[in-house]
Amino acid sequence: MPGERRVKDVLRELDILPETVLVIRGDELITPDQVVRDADIIELRPVMSGGSQIAPGAGHPPTAPALRPSLP
Amino acid sequence: MKCRKCGGTAVLELRRHNAAFCAPDFLDFFRNQVREAIRKHRMLEPEEQVLVAVSGGKDSLALWDVLIDEGYRTTGLYLDLGIFDYSVDSRRKCETFAARRNVPLMVASVAEEVGAPVPVIKNVTRRPPCSGCGLSKRYLMNRVALDHGLGVVATGHNLDDEAATLFGSITHWQTDALARQSPALPSTHAKLARRVKPLYRLSELETSAYAFLRRIDYIVEECPFAKGATSIAHKEILNRMEDASPGAKHNFLFGFLEKARAAFERAEAVPLRECVRCGQVTTGTVCAFCKLADQVKRTL
């Protein structure tokens, strides 16, 4: 992306919510108000993980998998 | 952006706390949140041996890291799901962490215990892979804890995980699940280990930042089967809410825990018995894990 701009503007342009990524420049985290420049290389590292949630308190005792109300 | 505590350059903004922190003060904040979770729900005794379920991801390794630094005696448990390179890489992350911190790590294999790895279980059951995976995880975590005389299992569930689970349970009005959703599940049977979630006060952004700042080498790639998972869809909805109204996820989860959960808990009373096959706790005659293993055996 050409030109100087704030991290928050970059994220908005990419339609990425600020809470969903770490913004890494070099080996440092930077905040949304920081300005990034042409030569900067920025990593946007997703923070979301998911899949087999071991909740909702389920398996206590082990019963049916989550989100399947009709199964034994 | 300035650190709320020291006025130095901030590395992380926490909108829901209307604050930003520098690296050392963020790490302090993070540890304080874990301490508060443990204290409030009496999750762990100071001298207690804790089984920490680790996946190689940011949450569970961050949890293990904090518990070690807080002085708990910990043993890691990695469950090898047999999910191609993802499992190979994530196991390596756990082994590297354990070696670096000089803590013990146990490994249990789903393929050995169930008779097939998660990708095969998915095909056999014709159900979403996360379903057989979650079932196997909770069964094996409990059994390994009991086999080794450990009374408590700590998992890396964070605020986003818990809020997404709550959202899913409410969407389906699973009142039994609502009754059991808690940061600390007590042992309600001699063969059930306690389960605690010391990161439930911390968001995914915060656990990721902690792992990054602590230079923990975690697996960033998502499980290949997580794409399209319901829990991910719920997280995305909640993230939109959070963006519009910082603190929304916290209020949703904590409001439930403080104001609503007890009402569901009172209605829930399920008699527990032991599985006639494996002896683990179940509500039926044969537990869901043994049924799954049977199904795999019959099909292969």
Side-chain angles (χ1 to χ4, degrees), chain A residues 15 17-24 26-34 43 45-69 71-72, chain B residues 1 10-13 58-59 127-128 130-131 133-135 137-138 157 161 165 169 174 177 180 185-186 193 195 204-205 208 212 215 218 220 222 226 231-232 235 239-240 243 272 281 283 288:
Chain A
D15 195 24
L17 300 177
E19 291 266 333
T20 63
V21 288
L22 290 181
V23 185
I24 302 167
D27 63 350
E28 287 184 344
L29 296 180
I30 55 175
T31 48
D33 63 320
Q34 296 251 353
E43 179 190 352
R45 185 181 294 182
V47 302
M48 192 187 289
S49 54
S52 76
Q53 298 298 309
I54 307 177
H60 213 84
T63 53
L67 301 175
R68 297 286 154 176
L71 291 163
Chain B
M1 218 168 259
V11 297
L12 193 69
E13 181 187 26
K58 65 192 192 303
D59 303 304
R127 292 165 54 86
C130 303
S131 136
C133 179
L135 167 64
K137 277 183 186 170
R138 34 185 199 266
H157 290 91
D161 296 328
T165 297
S169 299
Q174 292 175 289
R180 291 195 302 266
L185 294 163
R195 258 204 357 236
E204 285 190 317
L205 180 70
S208 299
F212 178 85
R215 306 288 185 239
Y218 66 91
V220 177
E222 190 50 86
S231 62
I232 300 276
K235 282 185 175 182
N239 279 336
R240 292 279 168 198
D243 189 56
L272 301 180
V281 180
T283 51

Side-chain angles (χ1 to χ4, degrees), chain B residues 120-131:
Chain B
V120 177
I121 294 174
K122 164 185 167 283
N123 292 336
V124 167
T125 58
R126 294 183 197 167
R127 292 165 54 86
C130 303
S131 136

Side-chain angles (χ1 to χ4, degrees), chain B residues 18 43 46 70 78 103 126 128 136 138 153 163 170 181 211 220 244-245 250 256 272 293 297:
Chain B
N18 197 22
M43 291 181 178
E70 290 295 305
Y78 174 78
V103 283
R126 294 183 197 167
S136 304
R138 34 185 199 266
V153 180
I170 288 177
Q181 174 149 5
V220 177
S245 175
H250 177 105
F256 166 76
L272 301 180
K297 212 175 292 172

Side-chain angles (χ1 to χ4, degrees), chain B residues 112-211:
Chain B
E112 281 173 26
E113 299 287 346
V114 184
V118 166
V120 177
I121 294 174
K122 164 185 167 283
N123 292 336
V124 167
T125 58
R126 294 183 197 167
R127 292 165 54 86
C130 303
S131 136
C133 179
L135 167 64
S136 304
K137 277 183 186 170
R138 34 185 199 266
Y139 178 92
L140 291 172
M141 283 190 320
N142 188 66
R143 210 192 63 199
V144 170
L146 291 179
D147 287 349
H148 291 82
L150 305 173
V152 61
V153 180
T155 60
H157 290 91
N158 59 43
L159 172 60
D160 294 68
D161 296 328
E162 293 298 281
T165 297
L166 176 61
F167 189 86
S169 299
I170 288 177
T171 306
H172 295 81
W173 285 114
Q174 292 175 289
T175 52
D176 56 337
L178 290 169
R180 291 195 302 266
Q181 174 149 5
S182 171
L185 294 163
S187 172
T188 51
H189 186 281
K191 286 190 170 180
L192 271 185
R194 282 158 32 232
R195 258 204 357 236
V196 298
K197 305 166 186 170
L199 301 185
Y200 85 100
R201 302 175 65 86
L202 292 151
S203 71
E204 285 190 317
L205 180 70
E206 291 154 16
T207 59
S208 299
Y210 177 90

